[in-house]
Amino acid sequence: MRWDRQRADGGEPVLPGMDGLLRTVRAPEFDGVTFHEVYAKSVLNKVPEGSGVPFGWTVNPYRGCSHACTYCLAGDTPVLMADGRTKPLAELAPGDEIYGTRGRGAGRRLVPTTVLAHWSTLKPAYRLTLDDGTSIVASGDHRFLTGRGWKHVTGTRFGAAQRPHLVGGTELVGVGKLTRTPDDTIGYRAGYLCGMLRSGGFSAEKDAADRALGYLPDFGASVGFVQVPPSPDSHWQRGFLAGLFDLAGGYRHGALRVTHDEHDIVSTFCAALDNFGFRHVRSENPKFRPLWTVQLLGGPAEEMRFFHLADPAVRWKRSLDGLAIGRTRRKVSSVEALGIELPLFDITTGTGDFIADGMVTHNCFARNTHTYLDFDAGRDFDTQVVVKVNAPEVLTAQLRRPGWTREHVAMGTNTDPYQRAEGRYKLMPRIITALADSGTPLSILTKGTVLTRDLPLLESVAKDVPAGLAISLALLDEDLQRRLEPGTPSPRARLDLIRKARDAGLPCSVLVAPVLPYLTDTAEALDALFARLADVGATRVTVLPLHLRPGAREWFARWLGREHPELVPKYRELYARGAYLPKSYRERLGARVGPLLRRHGFGSRPDDERMQVSMPVQRTEEPGSIAPAAEQLKLH
């Protein structure tokens, strides 16, 4: 869930830590992790409408980002700036004004936007080649806008790595190839001055006048630059196009025109256009002879090429605000892995996209939350933990507001409240107390055994408000668990936590999630797991087979190919139609699970149709126990 949609008071969105970074802590006992202690303004977070989860409010005292995606491009990729020029992606900085887009699907228009964050990372690189010869180096996760929506650079049609991705012939949406801005040579300067001053004129626009005045000292007392060379080179012609456009040109309503009253000047302008392959039409005004108008043909792509090739000085004349771009398409010729990792760059923008080498490209929308805390949005984003040290006090104040109706609050829905950091900061006891004192029902979903510390407190508050626990435990094989979930408590430790929760008189649900086809879904494995859950007194079991959304599936595909390559074809078949397992598999698993659950003293209830893949069941001896709403979350 996005932070900017989680304010409980309905005011302007406030990101964690926006009110001040207190200090940064690097503790020896947390190797590789840095904690950033911040003051939060709001911690009671409203779940957006339509999220599909069975609770309306969450509290997350920690902000961790270890599962974030990264969309990256090579540093030399030209980005379209808000002044119509380009700049290499690596050279951008927060605060730069660039172009993004607004609109739906391919029907988009260019709008100015701001760079909010900029970072680099090291990732496997791929070369994307287009039919016009454009070559873009990107990560496999990067997304471009196509005629059929956003697509990643790489992916597969089947199995765990399935996601929309580019193939040969895919049409990309954009503004046309970005031409390199001309070198500021003496020839370019002479051409610019000729275009502006040849007929005795001088642009009234400050941008153009400043440029011309800056160029004049290069020629001393000579006025030879006003003469058109017998055989002008490309540098001179580029400058001439820019100078005449600044003096007598304009770009309005998608039409780029130059109007002048000297035939030789107009002819020189047309000759330069011809030299660079621009199509154009020249017309004479019958009412004001002699007066000729030259209009560029070819639409937005050619108009963009003109601005980049000539580089006029007057900003408003070259403004692309509102330019419709959906008609400009280029086809993918190939996508090839370079076989090496390269430094790649990305940005966050106000529109969520930007123009990279003429193509509309997605950016990472989440990483900029860390830049507000003054640390890097790249690797740091994956290794830092934001700690809202005043979360209990802020929550207490929010719960006292007259408008609070004591709705259920779920914790552990975004980041685990009992991650290792909780052992250091001890925020949860005061959060639990604040909720209970206000009469608010609460539930906690966790894998962290730090929860053991707070069991006596939960036992006490459960006498006054409904308080539920859910522990995630999918398997007993400790070797497989270490390879799948490095850094989490072992199955044995989590079973011990369940036992302690039950000894404290607390209902404790278990999410057997995710069940992995051909790895943890056998009758033997499930029977052993359910037996252990019954031994430790679990009050409820919810079985969730593995589903693979974009992001999770890429990680799992790599893991499966490395650890169990023999299963790749089977997973490709199972997940051929998307993130969820087919109905036939779920029915087979349900038929296998049902008798095993009953054997170990667990009852059953009808499948939750909304979840499709869940099979929740209830312990028969405790039909009235409260299962936390958070347990219905799908886990990866």
Side-chain angles (χ1 to χ4, degrees):
M1 291 176 286
R2 296 284 300 278
W3 283 101
D4 60 6
R5 300 177 67 187
Q6 293 189 21
R7 285 294 305 278
D9 56 11
E12 289 297 314
V14 175
L15 294 170
M18 201 166 182
D19 289 338
L21 175 63
L22 299 181
R23 64 172 183 162
T24 294
V25 180
R26 296 177 177 85
E29 65 268 31
F30 296 98
D31 184 36
V33 179
T34 301
F35 299 108
H36 299 275
E37 300 175 356
V38 303
Y39 272 139
K41 197 169 184 178
S42 174
V43 296
L44 185 58
N45 306 317
K46 175 65 176 173
V47 177
E49 295 293 333
S51 295
V53 294
F55 49 85
W57 297 87
T58 67
V59 169
N60 292 288
Y62 301 97
R63 176 67 165 164
C65 305
S66 60
H67 300 296
C69 296
T70 303
Y71 306 104
C72 307
L73 293 168
D76 60 356
T77 304
V79 173
L80 184 61
M81 307 299 291
D83 63 1
R85 295 180 172 87
T86 66
K87 182 184 284 189
L89 178 59
E91 297 179 13
L92 293 178
D96 284 349
E97 295 293 320
I98 66 173
Y99 273 116
T101 72
R102 291 292 188 203
R104 299 184 62 183
R108 293 170 180 259
R109 294 181 180 274
L110 294 182
V111 295
T113 188
T114 303
V115 176
L116 303 176
H118 180 269
W119 67 90
S120 66
T121 189
L122 194 68
K123 298 200 72 177
Y126 295 80
R127 176 176 286 112
L128 171 65
T129 303
L130 307 183
D131 57 359
D132 64 354
T134 298
S135 178
I136 303 174
V137 175
S139 74
D141 295 327
H142 199 81
R143 286 188 285 173
F144 290 90
L145 182 62
T146 76
R148 296 189 175 184
W150 294 103
K151 293 191 176 183
H152 295 268
V153 171
T154 63
T156 65
R157 293 182 60 191
F158 306 104
Q162 181 187 32
R163 62 182 179 185
H165 62 281
L166 304 179
V167 296
T170 301
E171 288 188 338
L172 300 186
V173 176
V175 297
K177 188 173 183 178
L178 303 185
T179 304
R180 188 172 67 88
T181 301
D183 295 329
D184 189 14
T185 64
I186 193 68
Y188 177 87
R189 294 184 170 209
Y192 185 86
L193 291 174
C194 183
M196 180 176 291
L197 305 177
R198 174 69 171 79
S199 56
F202 198 95
S203 175
E205 299 292 339
K206 186 177 186 304
D207 294 339
D210 288 347
R211 180 183 286 189
L213 291 173
Y215 287 173
L216 282 172
D218 291 340
F219 300 93
S222 172
V223 292
F225 55 78
V226 299
Q227 301 298 320
V228 177
S231 300
D233 62 18
S234 61
H235 292 278
W236 188 94
Q237 288 185 318
R238 288 186 179 201
F240 184 83
L241 291 174
L244 192 61
F245 180 80
D246 279 344
L247 176 70
Y251 180 56
R252 296 184 64 188
H253 308 299
L256 191 154
R257 300 185 181 93
V258 166
T259 300
H260 204 276
D261 60 1
E262 292 190 27
H263 185 269
D264 60 337
I265 291 294
V266 173
S267 296
T268 302
F269 186 81
C270 291
L273 292 177
D274 290 335
N275 182 58
F276 294 113
F278 289 106
R279 294 186 298 113
H280 56 89
V281 59
R282 176 167 53 177
S283 59
E284 185 177 3
N285 191 317
K287 294 183 178 180
F288 303 95
R289 295 183 181 178
L291 191 64
W292 290 269
T293 296
V294 179
Q295 179 172 333
L296 201 67
L297 303 177
E302 286 295 88
E303 292 152 5
M304 181 83 64
R305 186 164 75 92
F306 176 89
F307 289 139
H308 293 154
L309 184 141
D311 191 30
V314 182
R315 177 164 177 167
W316 73 263
K317 287 189 174 185
R318 59 187 295 164
S319 172
L320 303 171
D321 293 8
L323 178 68
I325 62 175
R327 293 181 299 168
T328 304
R329 307 288 179 91
R330 286 186 281 173
K331 290 185 178 180
V332 174
S333 295
S334 64
V335 177
E336 58 178 323
L338 298 183
I340 57 173
E341 291 189 340
L342 292 175
L344 300 175
F345 295 79
D346 198 8
I347 58 177
T348 294
T349 71
T351 59
D353 61 5
F354 60 103
I355 309 300
D357 211 350
M359 298 292 94
V360 182
T361 179
H362 199 279
N363 67 200
C364 178
F365 60 82
R367 287 180 177 261
N368 65 304
T369 60
H370 270 38
T371 65
Y372 291 99
L373 299 174
D374 295 328
F375 57 81
D376 179 65
R379 184 177 181 276
D380 288 349
F381 185 81
D382 300 324
T383 59
Q384 313 299 311
V385 174
V386 177
V387 184
K388 290 175 271 187
V389 294
N390 65 334
E393 292 76 20
V394 173
L395 177 61
T396 298
Q398 289 182 285
L399 294 173
R400 288 175 179 168
R401 292 176 180 172
W404 177 241
T405 57
R406 297 175 179 80
E407 297 180 53
H408 181 106
V409 172
M411 291 171 281
T413 63
N414 189 13
T415 54
D416 195 330
Y418 284 99
Q419 57 185 276
R420 290 190 301 157
E422 174 60 19
R424 175 187 180 93
Y425 288 98
K426 302 178 176 63
L427 299 178
M428 285 299 291
R430 288 179 289 153
I431 289 175
I432 293 168
T433 300
L435 290 168
D437 288 349
S438 69
T440 300
L442 62 103
S443 64
I444 299 170
L445 170 63
T446 183
K447 295 179 180 179
T449 53
V450 180
L451 172 64
T452 304
R453 180 200 65 200
D454 293 344
L455 289 178
L457 173 62
L458 286 165
E459 180 182 7
S460 175
V461 303
K463 298 174 183 177
D464 300 316
V465 296
L469 299 178
I471 308 300
S472 174
L473 177 59
L475 59 136
L476 296 176
D477 185 330
E478 295 203 1
D479 177 65
L480 180 57
Q481 180 267 336
R482 282 192 296 268
R483 287 182 283 135
L484 272 172
E485 302 174 339
T488 61
S490 68
R492 183 179 303 176
R494 278 183 261 179
L495 287 167
D496 188 51
L497 173 61
I498 298 167
R499 184 190 300 277
K500 290 178 179 178
R502 295 299 293 125
D503 289 345
L506 294 166
C508 187
S509 299
V510 175
L511 274 73
V512 178
V515 173
L516 307 178
Y518 306 110
L519 285 173
T520 64
D521 65 345
T522 64
E524 292 76 14
L526 292 170
D527 186 38
L529 177 58
F530 296 158
R532 295 295 301 276
L533 295 178
D535 287 344
V536 295
T539 54
R540 179 179 175 129
V541 172
T542 300
V543 178
L544 299 175
L546 176 71
H547 77 278
L548 294 168
R549 293 176 179 172
R553 72 180 120 201
E554 292 81 30
W555 172 86
F556 188 81
R558 291 192 292 270
W559 180 87
L560 190 69
R562 182 177 65 251
E563 301 287 341
H564 295 279
E566 75 283 359
L567 295 181
V568 171
K570 295 182 178 180
Y571 272 75
R572 185 176 295 124
E573 180 180 356
L574 281 176
Y575 293 92
R577 295 193 175 185
Y580 298 102
L581 286 159
K583 183 179 179 181
S584 57
Y585 175 89
R586 298 198 308 272
E587 289 177 345
R588 291 196 303 272
L589 181 61
R592 186 180 310 153
V593 165
L596 296 175
L597 290 171
R598 288 190 291 272
R599 176 188 302 174
H600 295 290
F602 295 98
S604 63
R605 71 180 190 183
D607 288 353
D608 182 343
E609 293 179 0
R610 181 183 62 80
M611 298 301 294
Q612 297 180 3
V613 295
S614 67
M615 289 164 283
V617 294
Q618 181 82 30
R619 284 283 286 194
T620 55
E621 69 266 28
E622 293 198 37
S625 64
I626 296 174
E631 71 175 12
Q632 292 297 331
L633 287 178
K634 301 171 187 174
L635 299 184
H636 294 151

